[in-house]
Amino acid sequence: MSQQNYRICANCIMDTSDAGITFDARGWCDYCNNYHDNILPNWHTDERGQAEIEQMVAKVKKDGEGREYDCLLGISGGVDSSYLAYLAKEKFGLRPLIFHVDAGWNSQQAVHNIERIVEGLGLHLHTEVINWQEMKDLQLAYFKAQVPHLDTPQDHAFFASLYNFAAKYKIKYILNGGNYSTECVREPLEWAYHASDLRQLKDIHSKFGTRPLKTFPLSDIFTYKLYYRYVKGVEVLRPLNSVPYIKEDAMQLLIDKFGWQKYAHKHYESRFTRFYEGYWQPTKFGYDKRRAHFSSLILTKQMTRDEALEKIAKPAYDPATVDQDFEYIATKLDISVEELRALHNGPNKSWRDYKSRQPLIDLGTRVMRALGVQRAIIR
């Protein structure tokens, strides 16, 4: 991108590294306008949010009568899911089964945090361990495909395992840590294509994989959005959208109550995610996901724009750690550091270079919004 064509939002720090960004006469981007026009009017954490929570908790408890667990809660060791587990047990009085997927990339912080939360709250933990040989093969296939969304194998394993488990064992409610407070600026599709697009996953694996995915958990977006939801009755709830949620306050509470460990940035509880978001994407593609993460915090008044600009001007993590992680990732994938660097220097591609269900996803989204099933909160 030439400096002459570069532009940054006057209100947040999203910029033209997102090729689809637009600006109004004030210099505000479409993410900011979407937040003020569509998200903020429908986001209630006052007495209306309290009423939403009470109604939500009542139906979960009613359906869970006579069962060992009344809901399923996926946990990564990050702040969103950890804080949600605390709220679910201590504030809502629910009986969640804590569900974790070990895809082979957990940091020690993630393992520690999960243990602290589960033990501290007296909850039960179910861990799905992904077959590493299959996971490794799929992960390497995404590297060879030269796409920026390298976290798709891990993300797909997470949500497919969770949804498949809920449907199999007839657990009606899944508590999800997704929230407007830290995620109201959505990452552009070019940066983070749908991990739930099974057609693309299979196409990339068929071109670059070397072993069949016999046990790897799979679930298409339409399976969990339609079949699991309307046939199996599995419903996803996002309680964090109905309560006051300030990220720093939540982390401090977790530290004080459970000995939870803070990590450098959003999603960095995964060592692989730290590497790909903090180094691979910015240096290979020019995408820095911190722009979306910090912009969300700017809009929800948890960070000033000046603070965000100061942080984004610095690398996500230090060069020495990058070198260590480069060697760690290469070793885990059974390739040399030189081979991994060659992949980094290879020709960039995008999700558009492979088969996808994006036209159907777009159509389905428009239909759901028209029916009022899904609010138009995305740009």
Side-chain angles (χ1 to χ4, degrees), residues 43-45 49 52-53 56 73 78-88 92 175-183 237-247 250 266:
W43 179 21
H44 309 299
T45 59
E52 291 172 358
I53 286 292
M56 184 186 301
L73 194 159
V79 60
D80 298 340
S81 57
S82 297
Y83 186 64
L84 179 56
Y86 161 74
L87 291 180
F92 305 156
L175 302 189
N176 185 292
N179 64 90
Y180 298 143
S181 180
T182 65
E183 299 169 341
L237 306 175
R238 293 179 171 82
L240 292 183
N241 282 337
S242 299
V243 299
Y245 179 48
I246 304 300
K247 181 180 178 181
K266 187 177 180 70

Side-chain angles (χ1 to χ4, degrees), residues 147-160:
V147 292
H149 47 292
L150 288 179
D151 231 6
T152 288
Q154 189 172 217
D155 285 345
H156 193 97
F158 291 167
F159 87 80

Side-chain angles (χ1 to χ4, degrees), residues 137-138 141 201-213:
D137 189 64
L138 183 59
L201 183 148
K202 287 184 173 180
D203 186 46
I204 287 176
H205 186 252
S206 70
K207 288 180 169 63
F208 303 103
T210 60
R211 64 168 61 229
L213 301 177

Side-chain angles (χ1 to χ4, degrees), residues 264-367:
H265 189 61
K266 187 177 180 70
H267 302 318
Y268 283 18
E269 66 273 17
S270 163
R271 194 165 179 180
F272 178 81
T273 306
R274 179 179 70 181
F275 174 75
Y276 122 86
E277 286 191 3
Y279 173 77
W280 195 273
Q281 274 201 332
T283 57
K284 182 172 171 60
F285 295 93
Y287 306 151
D288 192 333
K289 287 191 177 185
R290 293 179 301 165
R291 287 197 177 276
H293 302 160
F294 292 162
S295 292
S296 290
L297 297 178
I298 291 169
L299 288 172
T300 57
K301 296 180 170 46
Q302 298 177 67
M303 180 182 288
T304 68
R305 187 172 183 272
D306 286 343
E307 288 171 339
L309 287 170
E310 183 179 348
K311 286 177 178 288
I312 204 72
K314 300 173 183 176
Y317 60 122
D318 66 278
T321 308
V322 171
D323 289 341
Q324 291 172 8
D325 282 357
F326 221 105
E327 186 171 350
Y328 173 79
I329 300 295
T331 301
K332 284 271 292 186
L333 294 175
D334 285 336
I335 61 175
S336 67
V337 170
E338 291 71 25
E339 287 175 295
L340 187 56
R341 292 197 187 281
L343 289 169
H344 181 270
N345 295 330
N348 293 348
K349 294 189 177 181
S350 81
W351 65 269
R352 291 184 176 84
D353 292 301
Y354 300 96
K355 295 176 182 177
S356 78
R357 296 202 185 280
Q358 187 56 37
L360 280 177
I361 293 171
D362 284 340
L363 176 61
T365 301
R366 288 195 296 271
V367 170

Side-chain angles (χ1 to χ4, degrees), residues 56-286:
M56 184 186 301
V57 169
K59 70 178 182 179
V60 173
K61 286 184 175 179
K62 182 178 180 181
D63 185 74
E65 289 178 359
R67 297 170 178 258
E68 186 174 6
Y69 310 105
D70 50 25
C71 55
L72 195 61
L73 194 159
I75 193 167
S76 66
V79 60
D80 298 340
S81 57
S82 297
Y83 186 64
L84 179 56
Y86 161 74
L87 291 180
K89 172 72 187 305
E90 297 297 299
K91 299 299 182 182
F92 305 156
L94 297 175
R95 296 175 287 108
L97 172 62
I98 303 299
F99 190 95
H100 176 66
V101 178
D102 182 356
W105 295 114
N106 277 348
S107 66
Q108 283 304 112
Q109 281 179 305
V111 174
H112 169 88
N113 287 345
I114 293 169
E115 289 176 351
R116 294 292 88 225
I117 292 296
V118 170
E119 292 175 8
L121 292 171
L123 296 172
H124 291 165
L125 172 68
H126 176 86
T127 300
E128 292 274 341
V129 180
I130 306 302
N131 179 296
W132 175 245
Q133 295 305 315
E134 294 182 18
M135 177 69 194
K136 179 177 66 176
D137 189 64
L138 183 59
Q139 190 73 77
L140 193 52
Y142 269 77
F143 273 102
K144 292 176 179 177
Q146 297 288 351
V147 292
H149 47 292
L150 288 179
D151 231 6
T152 288
Q154 189 172 217
D155 285 345
H156 193 97
F158 291 167
F159 87 80
S161 296
L162 185 68
Y163 280 93
N164 292 346
F165 186 92
K168 180 178 179 179
Y169 292 102
K170 297 181 172 59
I171 299 177
K172 189 172 181 180
Y173 297 105
I174 296 175
L175 302 189
N176 185 292
N179 64 90
Y180 298 143
S181 180
T182 65
E183 299 169 341
C184 59
V185 173
R186 304 292 289 268
E187 295 162 8
L189 206 61
E190 291 294 334
W191 302 8
Y193 184 68
H194 308 291
S196 52
D197 188 340
L198 186 56
R199 187 184 190 202
Q200 177 144 123
L201 183 148
K202 287 184 173 180
D203 186 46
I204 287 176
H205 186 252
S206 70
K207 288 180 169 63
F208 303 103
T210 60
R211 64 168 61 229
L213 301 177
K214 292 182 178 179
T215 64
F216 190 88
L218 300 171
S219 181
D220 189 75
I221 185 171
F222 297 109
T223 301
Y224 78 82
K225 284 274 191 183
L226 300 175
Y227 179 69
Y228 283 174
R229 174 66 185 93
Y230 298 105
V231 177
K232 292 288 190 177
V234 176
E235 185 176 353
V236 178
L237 306 175
R238 293 179 171 82
L240 292 183
N241 282 337
S242 299
V243 299
Y245 179 48
I246 304 300
K247 181 180 178 181
E248 287 294 328
D249 293 348
M251 286 194 286
Q252 193 57 54
L253 180 145
L254 295 171
I255 291 166
D256 294 342
K257 281 187 173 291
F258 306 106
W260 189 89
Q261 291 180 358
K262 200 172 183 179
Y263 47 92
H265 189 61
K266 187 177 180 70
H267 302 318
Y268 283 18
E269 66 273 17
S270 163
R271 194 165 179 180
F272 178 81
T273 306
R274 179 179 70 181
F275 174 75
Y276 122 86
E277 286 191 3
Y279 173 77
W280 195 273
Q281 274 201 332
T283 57
K284 182 172 171 60
F285 295 93

